[in-house]
Amino acid sequence: MSEPHSGRPPVRGAAKHPPEARGLLERMLEFLHPGPDSKTELIETLADAEQRELIEPESRQMLEGVLRMAELSAGDVMVAAPRMDLLDIDAPYDELLGLVIDSGHSRFPVFEGSKDNIIGILLAKDLLKMQRAPELNLRALLRPTVFVPESKGLNELLRDFRSNRNHLAIVIDEFGNTAGLITIEDVLEEIVGEIEDEFDEKDGESGLYTLADGSQRVAGDASIAAVNGSFGIALPDDDFDTIGGLVAHEHGRVPRRGETVQVGGLNFAVMLTRGGAVRWFKVTRAADGETAA
């Protein structure tokens, strides 16, 4: 005798396992192939994938950069205020043009009166318009200034740069004072590494370059031996191989851009940081009795 028909159509695609069995199966799979439980484990998984040639080294570096960028804020990668290249709205045109040419930047904060009073951003290409039309008012060429707090996350800042079509923002501290500036290039370099242009010098084997003012531009991964040889000093190299490692140890942490650390009679001013390490120092001899900031 056939069973009575309930009147309901048969359910197609029903689960083959009840919820309890499916949960047990998932738990067994997780036990056999556990996934990463932290960002550190995820980075280690990416490194393992590279070793197994599942992803390219460049892809791993970019993915790690994205993960690390989520932990960084504008204050971590900004150019500190003392190292900002600013233009005075009241300066003569020839002086402004000289500063623009010497620095090689494409955008400049412009101040009036004091350097904390930033009234706009000037594009280098806009300044050149005044050569053909001297009657132009420089103030009229300024673009609006975007201000962001030091605590603003780089992920959110990158979204703002893209949506607002801005490439530069002024970073302010908790008191509303200018702390530094940050560009879209600074943010992207946290992901893809340093972006070099025609103004950047090619890295030499030693990582040391003599600048126009007689100081040295020294790579963070330059050997301590190379620095000793260049300056005729004897910094210890028993525990560290690179000058960046020694400076970070003496300072107690990796210094930020704009900070200066004094080690062995030398001032190491941080010019550029990348990926939680110092990329470039500007190194000068410390004057007698001088204390680094």
Side-chain angles (χ1 to χ4, degrees), residues 201-269:
E201 300 177 46
K202 296 296 182 182
D203 293 352
E205 293 183 1
S206 67
L208 280 75
Y209 300 91
T210 301
L211 302 179
D213 60 2
S215 63
Q216 294 277 335
R217 189 178 77 159
V218 178
D221 58 1
S223 69
I224 296 174
V227 176
N228 285 339
S230 177
F231 288 91
I233 57 177
L235 295 174
D237 57 2
D238 297 332
D239 298 325
F240 301 94
D241 295 323
T242 66
I243 193 64
L246 177 62
V247 171
H249 173 74
E250 294 294 326
H251 190 51
R253 61 174 173 80
V254 176
R256 293 183 177 184
R257 184 160 27 175
E259 288 187 315
T260 299
V261 181
Q262 191 175 112
V263 179
L266 299 178
N267 284 335
F268 291 85

Side-chain angles (χ1 to χ4, degrees), residues 130-179:
M130 296 185 67
Q131 280 192 325
R132 293 187 175 181
E135 70 279 3
L136 284 176
N137 186 337
L138 181 61
R139 197 180 297 269
L141 298 175
L142 299 183
R143 310 294 176 97
T145 309
V146 175
F147 295 94
V148 299
E150 285 183 290
S151 59
K152 192 177 186 70
L154 291 194
N155 283 342
E156 185 181 359
L157 183 58
L158 182 58
R159 286 195 297 269
D160 290 349
F161 276 144
R162 293 178 59 190
S163 61
N164 299 330
R165 301 180 67 181
N166 290 318
H167 287 196
L168 183 150
I170 300 299
V171 184
I172 57 176
D173 62 20
E174 57 183 319
F175 304 106
N177 300 319
T178 301

Side-chain angles (χ1 to χ4, degrees), residues 42-75:
L42 181 54
I43 291 177
E44 291 174 353
T45 302
L46 292 173
D48 178 65
E50 179 193 347
Q51 292 178 354
R52 295 164 58 191
E53 298 184 350
L54 298 177
I55 59 175
E56 296 295 327
E58 294 79 6
S59 300
R60 177 186 66 82
Q61 292 170 5
M62 290 181 63
L63 290 170
E64 286 186 7
V66 171
L67 292 172
R68 291 196 174 98
M69 189 180 73
E71 301 176 343
L72 298 176
S73 65

Side-chain angles (χ1 to χ4, degrees), residues 8-25:
R8 296 178 181 177
V11 179
R12 299 184 181 275
K16 295 182 180 180
H17 304 283
E20 296 80 4
R22 188 168 62 251
L24 176 61
L25 178 60

